Amino acid sequence: MAIAGATTAVVSPPLVPVALIGSTAPDWMEWVAATIGKRVKHRSVTHYVAGWIIGVLAFGLLWDFKHIGLAFCYGGLTHVLADALTVTGVPFSPHSDRRFHLFGGRLRTGEAGEYGIAWGIVLLCVALGGLLHTAMGWYPFFYDWAGLYESGVIDGSEWKANRFRFL
Ligand SMILES: [Zn+2]
């Protein structure tokens, strides 16, 4: 969630919630399937790396509504790629019988390395956001609503409506 949220925030803050829902989807889709009576093994069908890549490409290149499908599949892709860093790994596609691993798949869920990678990426994104801010006067994480109002970009009612929105 940290990886999907932070990277999406750099590109498009409004899509962060969608990416967050997507980033947990491979796991919650498993119990959605279970509640409708289709038991799926953990880290199987919903964790095909190829499936999420196809989703990203399809929504990115063919059709999408306000990039919602793209953000959702991008979130899902970050999830399965993060799972691929672990010892168990993930299946690449229905046709692969071996598990797919990234960087040798040495991480164990819940261990320090996992947090190191996730927060490392978050810090990188915050730094990148800072760079964008100095380079283009735009900071994706904390909108400068008061500054926008003072410089006349937005009017008083917009400032009132948005001043407590920090993303
Ligand atoms: Zn998972």
Side-chain angles (χ1 to χ4, degrees):
M1 287 180 80
I3 293 168
T7 48
T8 305
V10 175
V11 183
S12 173
L15 287 173
V16 169
V18 185
L20 290 181
I21 296 168
S23 75
T24 48
D27 287 346
W28 61 250
M29 280 162 87
E30 286 174 354
W31 54 259
V32 168
T35 44
I36 58 168
K38 284 204 171 108
R39 289 216 132 266
V40 286
K41 257 178 65 196
H42 183 47
R43 287 195 183 175
S44 62
V45 200
T46 61
H47 282 66
Y48 289 143
V49 179
W52 292 102
I53 291 176
I54 290 168
V56 166
L57 292 178
F59 283 118
L61 302 173
L62 301 178
W63 178 89
D64 202 355
F65 178 72
K66 298 189 183 216
H67 305 302
I68 288 174
L70 177 63
F72 181 83
C73 290
Y74 168 72
L77 184 61
T78 63
H79 178 120
V80 293
L81 289 182
D83 276 356
L85 291 170
T86 65
V87 177
T88 320
V90 285
F92 190 80
S93 78
H95 307 291
S96 47
D97 42 3
R98 285 213 279 135
R99 307 293 277 189
F100 174 72
H101 290 107
L102 278 181
F103 305 112
R106 284 192 209 102
L107 289 188
R108 277 170 211 282
T109 306
E111 273 183 2
E114 188 183 22
Y115 295 100
I117 287 177
W119 294 115
I121 292 176
V122 171
L123 281 180
L124 213 71
C125 289
V126 171
L128 197 64
L131 273 178
L132 287 174
H133 183 53
T134 22
M136 303 163 17
W138 180 69
Y139 191 59
F141 288 96
F142 299 97
Y143 280 146
D144 180 15
W145 296 109
L148 287 176
Y149 171 61
E150 269 154 30
S151 55
V153 177
I154 57 173
D155 62 23
S157 62
E158 276 177 287
W159 170 74
K160 250 192 170 149
N162 292 307
R163 71 199 140 139
F164 297 122
R165 286 182 47 206
F166 296 106
L167 275 176

